[in-house]
Amino acid sequence: MPAGSGTLWDLAVAEVEKRENAEGDGEGAEVSEKSVLFVGSKNGGKTTIILRCLDREEIPKPTLALEYTFGRRARRHNTPKDIAHFWELGGGTSLQELIRVPITSSNIRAFAIVLVLDLSKPNELWTTMESLLQVIRSHVNKILTKLGKTNPEVAAEIKQRMWNNLQKDHPDYELVDPFPLPLVIIGSKYDIFHEFDSEMRKIISKTLRFVSHYYGASLVGVDKSKSVALDHSRPLFIPAGLDSLHQIGPPPASESDLGKLHANTPLELWKKVFEKTFPPKSSSDLQYTKDPAQDLQYAEYEVDVMRAQKNEELDQYKRNASKTWKEMDFGLD
């Protein structure tokens, strides 16, 4: 489900604008700055997508922690340019505490989330998605709680926007749980995913369709598509609110297997079915263990020389301390 250069920006901007103007006639004050936070699988291609979106021909470097860049784009000729602030969280699920840095009460009204999931690693897919979205949702809910006390009208407006992609007469209105911020889900490494067994591809694709629909998210998979793409044998493209549980179908399991599963929500049921085929890795396997100080992309000669000197002093201290401790009489005789 590769993403193209124009799709991401268009979707993120359109999602935010749609929610901002849903309760008015669209003629109100124009918000010129918007923010997007990229989260997802480690080495899943987030940086590559951002560079494509900004039309930058650069070799992507691994993202160490939380990185920021921005871009400008004119809507029409001789009109003010939109400014997009791009934040990228590296390390997969290991640096979740940094999520609170870019999402604040001052920019939450014009903020969107892009979740990039590595389709070539289905055993990590659900854990990555669930962990990151839970942390973001918890942080956003705390912001909304504070806004509810200081600016209740804004808090109520943001909560109402959660439902703007789903009409009240939609058959699934009572069965979904929209994400509090505009959400776009991208499946990366489609070239590897395409080589999977057809049944495995179907399970992954249907699951992503369900998750996207459940959270009121857009599922991106093709370049600048003008129509919905639902064929599981090809990259999917489903804008938020244009899918349904009826079209997605039941979880990919037999009726007898479904009857044995105990779940409190549709999301929990799909999770159990998905993880039966793709058992999740332990959380420790997904942790980011690389030492940032050894990353060559952040090398600085003077800093590294000083660090090497301090490391040598520390090693010498340890050796001296070790000798001292061995010579000490602890009065144990």
Side-chain angles (χ1 to χ4, degrees):
M1 299 176 190
S5 61
T7 303
L8 177 59
W9 186 302
D10 293 338
L11 273 172
V13 171
E15 280 290 321
V16 175
E17 289 180 344
K18 182 177 180 180
R19 298 194 182 196
E20 288 172 349
N21 298 327
E23 305 213 357
D25 56 7
E27 300 293 334
E30 184 177 10
V31 178
S32 61
E33 295 191 28
K34 300 173 178 63
S35 299
V36 183
L37 171 63
F38 284 74
V39 298
S41 304
K42 183 168 62 177
N43 300 321
K46 299 183 291 295
T47 303
T48 299
I49 296 173
I50 293 176
L51 292 176
R52 288 179 181 175
C53 185
L54 296 173
D55 293 326
R56 295 181 185 173
E57 296 182 1
E58 304 175 16
I59 298 177
K61 298 179 181 179
T63 301
L64 182 61
L66 183 66
E67 294 192 1
Y68 167 81
T69 188
F70 71 95
R72 296 186 179 93
R73 179 177 177 181
R75 296 184 182 180
R76 294 176 297 278
H77 183 62
N78 291 330
T79 60
K81 291 184 178 180
D82 283 325
I83 299 177
H85 303 278
F86 291 92
W87 295 87
E88 180 186 356
L89 180 69
T93 61
S94 63
L95 301 171
Q96 300 174 8
E97 67 276 7
L98 295 179
I99 284 174
R100 66 178 183 269
V101 175
I103 309 176
T104 66
S105 57
S106 61
N107 65 14
I108 193 172
R109 297 180 68 185
F111 211 103
I113 305 296
V114 176
L115 174 64
V116 180
L117 298 173
D118 187 342
L119 299 178
S120 70
K121 300 177 181 178
N123 297 84
E124 300 177 11
L125 190 150
W126 192 284
T127 301
T128 298
M129 172 201 68
E130 181 179 57
S131 179
L132 289 168
L133 293 185
Q134 283 182 350
V135 171
I136 295 173
R137 177 165 236 162
S138 175
H139 176 61
V140 171
N141 285 340
K142 290 179 181 178
I143 293 177
L144 293 179
T145 298
K146 292 181 180 178
L147 281 176
K149 299 176 181 178
T150 60
N151 198 334
E153 293 183 358
V154 171
E157 175 189 346
I158 294 173
K159 292 178 181 178
Q160 178 58 42
R161 289 177 185 171
M162 294 166 54
W163 295 92
N164 286 345
N165 287 322
L166 204 65
Q167 301 298 322
K168 289 187 177 180
D169 59 354
H170 193 289
D172 305 332
Y173 193 84
E174 299 295 333
L175 301 175
V176 298
D177 186 17
F179 204 67
L181 296 178
L183 176 63
V184 177
I185 298 177
I186 298 177
S188 64
K189 309 288 182 70
Y190 184 84
D191 54 338
I192 301 176
F193 169 77
H194 190 63
E195 300 300 320
F196 286 4
D197 173 79
S198 60
E199 188 61 28
M200 292 176 62
R201 296 201 311 269
K202 182 179 180 180
I203 293 173
I204 296 171
S205 296
K206 288 189 66 174
T207 300
L208 286 180
R209 282 185 63 184
F210 169 80
V211 169
S212 298
H213 182 57
Y214 186 80
Y215 284 127
S218 293
L219 183 59
V220 180
V222 291
D223 296 351
K224 300 179 181 178
S225 177
K226 299 299 182 182
S227 60
V228 177
L230 303 175
D231 186 350
H232 294 139
S233 64
R234 298 180 179 182
L236 302 175
F237 178 78
I238 311 174
L242 296 186
D243 211 341
S244 70
L245 297 179
H246 176 73
Q247 293 182 96
I248 296 170
S254 66
E255 290 187 11
S256 59
D257 287 340
L258 288 176
K260 298 175 184 178
L261 297 175
H262 300 284
N264 297 319
T265 65
L267 185 68
E268 186 179 348
L269 178 63
W270 276 81
K271 175 183 179 180
K272 291 187 175 183
V273 172
F274 184 81
E275 292 186 342
K276 184 176 181 181
T277 304
F278 303 106
K281 290 188 175 182
S282 64
S283 58
S284 60
D285 292 336
L286 301 178
Q287 294 300 304
Y288 189 71
T289 57
K290 186 175 181 180
D291 183 359
Q294 305 303 320
D295 196 321
L296 294 179
Q297 71 169 316
Y298 298 102
E300 292 188 24
Y301 178 75
E302 294 182 355
V303 175
D304 294 339
V305 168
M306 180 60 68
R307 181 180 178 84
Q309 177 183 330
K310 293 300 181 183
N311 284 340
E312 177 59 30
E313 292 174 358
L314 177 61
D315 290 338
Q316 184 62 44
Y317 171 79
K318 291 179 179 178
R319 289 193 292 268
N320 293 338
S322 178
K323 293 178 182 179
T324 303
W325 295 333
K326 290 178 181 178
E327 296 170 355
M328 284 183 178
D329 182 0
F330 289 95
L332 298 178
D333 293 339

